Amino acid sequence: MKIVFMGTPEFAVPSIKMLVENNYNVVAAVTQPDKPKGRGNKLTPPPVKVYAQEKGITVLQPEKIRTGEFYRQLEALNPDLFVTVAYGRILPQDILELPPLGCINVHGSLLPKYRGAAPIQWSVINGEKVTGITTMFTDIGMDTGDMLLKQEVEIPAHMTAGELHDCLSIVGAQVLGQTLECLKAGALKREKQPEEEATYAPMMTKETGLIDWTKSAWEIHNLVRGTNPWPGAYSEYLGAKLKVWKTMPVEGSNEGHKPGTIIKVGKSGLIVACGEGIINVLEIQLESARRMTVEEYLCGHRINEGEVIG
């Protein structure tokens, strides 16, 4: 079975690694072009490319996928199956029809909930207790194809999006392996997605992390962990941007304070009033400074009770 793997970020690496380690015939890896990163804007290859080159797998990095040239490159590989994991582009119908066994996708949610670009982050931001992995046959829609296998994963109350990402990337590879075993055995069952249950997880932007202190302590906490590590939750403090990296909702009343008011300052954190309840801010980062605990910050700086964040 000749497989063309399509994926780009770190999330996709365990899946292509699983294919290689289980002796699947990966004839090529399709990934997005190298992009400038860091302060020096150094051209950096995507993680899937790095792994594929280490294993001697042919790498294709088309700038555009809706071209005759890219179609002919795929056609020449004579693939039996496409496997896509966070490739980042929607494949056109003519490409989807190339492999006789179709295209299997690994998606980081329990479809049809959280279709789209950022299912992991929005699951956390929205305070979901459970998410998971769904494998599906890809069609031309946005994660709308027939579902194959699912596996649930619990989201603890203080897990960050980064931690959930790492967990789901491993589970995704496992479910992909199970899906391919069922495919080889002729035992795959397709299930249509119930459209009435569909929700969407739009792409994250830097503005997604803006904290609205009028929301409840738990909503703010979920935003902080759901935007960790990117783009990071933030607010304004004394005219500067303040990133908030770690929080903990605590029992107690906001005592009628304006949302964002610092009620108490101590080594254990900043107790801040929310629209509903209070929250302990544990780790912060001011502009041009490193991320640090509130205790570390207070060693060289002063924060006053009664000041308002935001």
Side-chain angles (χ1 to χ4, degrees):
M1 185 162 59
K2 292 182 178 179
I3 296 175
V4 171
F5 183 87
M6 300 184 181
T8 301
E10 197 65 46
F11 184 82
V13 172
S15 288
I16 187 173
K17 186 177 180 182
M18 182 279 298
L19 294 174
V20 171
E21 292 181 350
N22 285 278
N23 299 314
Y24 283 96
N25 184 17
V26 182
V27 294
V30 180
T31 189
Q32 296 214 28
D34 297 2
K35 291 183 178 178
K37 273 190 175 182
R39 292 184 178 179
N41 278 333
K42 183 180 178 183
L43 212 56
T44 305
V48 164
K49 177 183 179 179
V50 174
Y51 179 82
Q53 288 184 326
E54 287 175 357
K55 298 301 178 181
I57 298 170
T58 299
V59 175
L60 303 178
Q61 293 179 278
E63 292 283 349
K64 297 180 179 179
I65 63 173
R66 298 175 186 268
T67 66
E69 179 186 2
F70 180 55
Y71 181 90
R72 288 188 292 273
Q73 285 179 315
L74 292 175
E75 189 179 36
L77 294 168
N78 195 27
D80 296 300
L81 176 72
F82 289 157
V83 170
T84 58
V85 185
Y87 174 43
R89 289 178 176 170
I90 296 178
L91 301 176
Q93 189 66 39
D94 60 342
I95 287 179
L96 287 173
E97 291 175 351
L98 262 176
L101 294 177
C103 177
I104 290 176
N105 176 252
V106 176
H107 186 73
S109 78
L110 298 174
L111 290 171
K113 294 187 71 174
Y114 297 105
R115 295 172 176 173
I120 296 172
Q121 294 91 332
W122 285 107
S123 292
V124 178
I125 291 171
N126 290 339
E128 299 285 359
K129 301 291 192 297
V130 176
T131 186
I133 290 290
T134 306
T135 52
M136 54 179 279
F137 272 123
T138 305
D139 61 17
I140 58 171
M142 174 71 78
D143 301 318
T144 55
D146 291 352
M147 301 179 292
L148 300 171
L149 300 184
K150 289 184 178 183
Q151 184 166 325
E152 292 188 352
V153 172
E154 290 187 4
I155 310 176
H158 303 292
M159 176 181 267
T160 66
E163 292 164 344
L164 181 58
H165 166 282
D166 293 348
C167 174
L168 287 177
S169 69
I170 301 300
V171 175
Q174 295 167 352
V175 179
L176 174 61
Q178 295 163 9
T179 303
L180 294 181
E181 287 300 314
C182 289
L183 177 67
K184 289 191 292 184
L188 267 186
K189 294 181 179 179
R190 304 173 71 128
E191 180 185 354
K192 293 284 184 187
Q193 294 192 37
E195 285 296 322
E196 66 277 8
E197 297 177 17
T199 62
Y200 288 86
M203 190 175 293
M204 304 284 284
T205 67
K206 290 183 178 179
E207 289 71 31
T208 306
L210 178 62
I211 297 172
D212 178 358
W213 295 98
T214 65
K215 292 191 173 182
S216 72
W218 274 104
E219 287 175 304
I220 293 169
H221 174 65
N222 291 339
L223 178 71
V224 169
R225 63 196 186 98
T227 54
N228 181 347
W230 194 89
Y234 67 95
S235 192
E236 183 194 38
Y237 175 65
L238 301 181
K241 186 176 183 179
L242 171 73
K243 279 200 169 184
V244 177
W245 286 110
K246 191 173 182 181
T247 55
M248 180 80 72
V250 291
E251 290 186 8
S253 165
N254 60 20
E255 301 172 8
H257 287 96
K258 176 182 176 181
T261 301
I262 301 171
I263 299 174
K264 185 177 179 182
V265 179
K267 291 183 178 181
S268 59
L270 308 175
I271 303 299
V272 182
C274 307
E276 180 184 326
I278 55 177
I279 196 167
N280 192 5
V281 176
L282 301 166
E283 291 185 15
I284 58 176
Q285 182 178 6
L286 271 81
E287 291 183 76
S288 303
R290 66 179 178 86
R291 172 179 171 176
M292 62 184 80
T293 64
V294 167
E295 182 179 5
E296 290 172 324
Y297 182 81
L298 291 174
C299 288
H301 306 84
R302 185 177 179 84
I303 296 177
N304 297 310
E305 293 177 4
E307 291 177 337
V308 178
I309 305 173

